[in-house]
Amino acid sequence: MSNFRKTQQTQEETEIQGQVERITYANEDNAYSIVKVSVAGNRQLVTVAGNLLSINPGEVLRLKGTWFNHPKYGEQFKVNSYTSITPATVSGIEKYLGSGLIKGIGPVLAKRLVAKFAETTLDIIEQTVERLKEVDGIGEKRVSMIKSAWVEQREIKDIMLFLQSHGVSSTYAIKIYKHYGHNSIEVVTSNPYQLATDIYGVGFITADKIAAKLGFAKDSPLRAESGILYVLHQLADEGHVYYPRELLTDECMKVLDIERELIKQAMDAAASARHIVIDEINGSENNAGNKAVYLAKFYTSETSIAANLKLLLTTISTPYVFDEDKALQWVQKELSITLAENQIQAVKMSFNRKVLVITGGPGTGKTTIINSIIKIYKRLGQRVLLAAPTGRAAKRMAEATGDDARTIHRLLDFSPKDGAFKRTDKSPLDADLIVLDEVSMVDTILMHHFLKALPPHATLILVGDIDQLPSVGAGGVLRDIIDSGVVAVVRLNEIFRQSQRSLIVVNAHRINGGEFPILVNDMEQNRDFYFLEIDDPETIVERIVSLCKDRIPEKFNFDPFRDIQVLTAMYKGQLGAVNLNAGLQNALNPKGMEIIRGGRVFRTGDKVMQLVNNYDKDVFNGDIGKIVSINTEDQEITVNYYGKAAAYDYTELDEITLAYAVTVHKSQGSEYQAVVMPVHTQQYIMLQRNLLYTGVTRGKRLVVLLGTKKALYIAINNNKPRHRYTYLKERLR
């Protein structure tokens, strides 16, 4: 037996040295990795496990640790500490450079560099990088990219080691470096809580752990103020525009574990610094006590919405005289339609109301009313603008009306460079009539910017379905405007004859009215709504995959990527979006070039969704696209959104997620040819009438529900939407 084998049998800390051959597993959140290492004296690769930060194949590691026998995977070396040594062999250097370490060098270029410079390759990159131009195909631009990437990765490594020792994952370490550059360590050391504000994905909890390791006291004013802002942001994510002061104090005490008096002092300090606003709101039926605490931007937005709506309502339009009855006769002939009595009343109201809300479910004639109004206004020579909150909703609006419709961001001319809208009260929109669709999706902050840019003489028509889920962002703007009683509202309840043939429309209205839907369980029948009763969640997942891959494309001639969308109530769990995406990806897109990041697999051809607004890329939360290329040399993934390409650096991949399955919340404002949706008691916490109704109404030509009648019954009978603290209704009154 060799000395090497003797060492393996001891439990004492020992040292080995070897070259990383491949990385079997890497968790980007905590840097725990499992790697295969070639060690001199051992014929087989050694399995090494432990916290190995941002290592690359080809790297030589000097490792300290202990041997142990894993019950499933056999003998492994458990790392306690390690140092990285630059590889010295030609094969090591090639593997090292080809691993994606340096942006601008992929496996092919690494091979050519090593073929030219052999063992001196790394020295040349370090000291005389211009010599790389001696290799065919490398020009000034590529040399420049390699040079800056080499310097950056060296600096990132130092910052990573510092941040890793304070509990920050390698993914966030790169983001922190990109945001603060050379000042990263200084910023983190002086105010770690700044990370929670500045870096997407780093929350207060992570920042708090770093602060504790850096010696910040639990009761420090900086921690208390940051904690209050964190709690308010969390509450905003739940939909609240403000939170009652006493209840907020209770929440902060739970999170921060400090005295009530310290929190009150920190609140006053945050208010003095104008980070928050503490407002007296006597008479609110929602408030416990009479002090409301707002994040400053929400206070500004809510008060601005109220002020601008009041301005619209009280400003007289430029009068124009015409015969309303003749206009109605003309538009019906022009569109080859016959308007129902309630539709005629709605069109007439648009002529003498400054602000009008039109609300109703599918098949109730909202589009017909809007088309009629637009036609008449244009015939009168009025300037008309159409908008919706998302790209998909705007596209639907344009298709339904035959007119140009834009997203609110495009309508208001958002400038990524400045991070601001160019259209404001100083430079208002040039329009006489503005129609905004899918208003249930519009949150408080976006509505503030929208109304701010409206010319006071204009007529505003707000269109939406009040019974859908409220906006993902904070507030309940459409409901508050309707409930305020200060704006004219047209409620459409009657389903038109042509829509009565659709079981999707009929069942959507039955669900919304608290009635059990008409269930068809035989997919051989020629209907557009089916319910497949399956009790076992694992079987539901398998059936969803087979429906999307084979059954629905074969029977209905729908494209699995373009036409079919799986919707689910939750993100996690067996019937959650994450698990469903894994199964659907493997069935629908099993091959193709791929990259693995933090346990997530992205492949060329994958259907993905943008998770946050990214104004630089001109892509927004909820946009769905397809991965068209993965560039290992430039470390970029390119996604095609509606014919528009967006490139993502590997460090930005937490901004996208697989979208074969998405949550119902993320589907708002969208319409799909076919919707497949699990409804099971495993999703109990999310089973609500408005969620089920929203999911069903996303389907245009087919809806398939899978699950249990019990879960359907629970959802239909749970008609208590989660309460949101807003004060807009009272401000409008």
Side-chain angles (χ1 to χ4, degrees), residues 16 39 43 49 101-102 217 349 424 478 486 540 596 682 686:
I16 62 171
V39 179
R43 280 182 300 216
L101 170 77
I102 305 297
M349 284 173 77
T424 65
L478 180 60
V486 301
I540 291 174
I596 301 171
Q682 195 183 75
M686 295 298 286

Side-chain angles (χ1 to χ4, degrees), residues 13-16 48-53 61-66 77-84:
E13 184 171 86
T14 187
E15 185 179 291
I16 62 171
V48 174
N51 282 26
L52 298 162
L53 175 68
L61 302 177
R62 188 175 291 127
L63 304 146
K64 287 183 179 179
T66 54
F77 188 79
K78 186 178 180 182
V79 178
N80 296 331
S81 64
Y82 72 97
T83 51
S84 174

Side-chain angles (χ1 to χ4, degrees), residues 462-517:
L462 302 172
V463 187
D465 187 343
I466 191 64
D467 296 311
Q468 284 184 28
L469 287 168
S471 57
V472 175
V477 175
L478 180 60
R479 185 170 293 281
D480 283 347
I481 289 172
I482 291 172
D483 290 350
S484 72
V486 301
V487 171
V489 179
V490 175
R491 295 176 187 268
L492 304 170
N493 301 310
E494 181 190 344
I495 309 174
F496 283 89
R497 193 178 296 115
Q498 64 268 29
S499 297
Q500 289 174 0
R501 292 192 290 269
S502 166
L503 207 50
I504 295 173
V505 173
V506 171
N507 279 341
H509 284 270
R510 288 178 71 92
I511 289 165
N512 197 32
E515 298 178 64
F516 212 71

Side-chain angles (χ1 to χ4, degrees), residues 15 24 68 101 110 114 154 184 209 212 216 265 432 439 574 605 664 710:
E15 185 179 291
T24 308
F68 75 105
L101 170 77
V114 170
R154 208 170 46 202
S184 298
K209 284 178 186 171
F216 281 79
Q265 288 169 14
D432 302 301
V439 184
Q574 204 168 2
V664 177
K710 182 181 178 181

Side-chain angles (χ1 to χ4, degrees), residues 393-404:
K395 189 180 176 193
R396 276 179 58 200
M397 192 182 192
E399 288 168 354
T401 61
D403 275 279
D404 179 48

Side-chain angles (χ1 to χ4, degrees), residues 504 528-531 674-676 695-696 699-705:
I504 295 173
D528 63 359
F529 187 104
Y530 301 93
F531 175 75
V675 162
V676 179
V696 167
K700 191 176 179 182
R701 291 171 57 193
L702 176 68
V703 171
V704 183
L705 303 182

